[in-house]
């Protein structure tokens, strides 16, 4: 059974940083695509970033480019999202997702989801 567990959310002031972690278990995720999504109150869930374990290609939403960095530790089967220069509009529940597909991107099917972690950025 695939499980994704996010951690690292919290309250931070605008301009601050947070690092989210996504610990994956239930299978080896090498060669599969993984991503981060977020959902703010009253809004639809939106793509944030994605990458493929195989090849290391990364993708970012325009709203986070240059501020967020997605990375992984293959030995720990863990994915990270380093978030710098945070803005109040980054406030949302952040979800980790994994796909059965190899090529990453915002529009592929993500089959597995974590429970989410709250990120709140105060102004």
């Amino acid at each position: 059974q695939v499980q994704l567990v996010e951690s690292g959310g919290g309250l931070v002031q605008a301009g601050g940083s947070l690092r989210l972690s996504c610990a994956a278990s239930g299978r080896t995720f090498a060669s599969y695509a993984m991503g981060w999504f977020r959902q703010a109150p009253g809004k639809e869930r939106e793509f944030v970033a994605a990458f493929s374990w195989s090849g290391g290609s990364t993708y970012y939403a325009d709203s986070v480019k240059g501020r967020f960095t997605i990375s992984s530790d293959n030995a720990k089967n863990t994915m990270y999202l380093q978030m710098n220069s945070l803005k109040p509009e980054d406030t949302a529940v952040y979800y980790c997702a994994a796909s059965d597909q190899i090529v990453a991107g915002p529009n592929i099917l993500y089959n597995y989801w974590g429970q989410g972690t709250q990120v709140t950025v105060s102004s």
Side-chain angles (χ1 to χ4, degrees), residues 12-67:
V12 65
Q13 288 188 331
S17 299
L18 283 174
R19 189 177 80 157
L20 305 183
S21 299
C22 173
S25 62
R27 75 172 191 195
T28 299
F29 283 85
S31 298
Y32 293 101
M34 292 190 71
W36 289 96
F37 290 77
R38 67 186 181 186
Q39 187 166 20
K43 295 187 177 180
E44 293 187 354
R45 185 172 61 196
E46 65 173 359
F47 169 78
V48 175
F51 85 107
S52 173
W53 294 93
S54 175
S57 298
T58 57
Y59 304 85
Y60 296 95
D62 288 343
S63 59
V64 306
K65 279 181 182 176
R67 300 188 298 121

Side-chain angles (χ1 to χ4, degrees), residues 1-4 24-27 29 112:
Q1 181 180 359
V2 174
Q3 281 194 319
L4 303 174
S25 62
R27 75 172 191 195
F29 283 85
Y112 312 100

Side-chain angles (χ1 to χ4, degrees), residues 15 18 25 33 45 49 54-56 61 64 69 74 77 80 99 102 108 110-111 115 119 122:
L18 283 174
S25 62
R45 185 172 61 196
S54 175
V64 306
T69 303
N74 291 9
N77 226 21
Y80 303 99
S99 175
I102 295 174
I108 66 171
Y110 288 89
N111 307 88
Q115 82 289 350
V119 171
S122 63

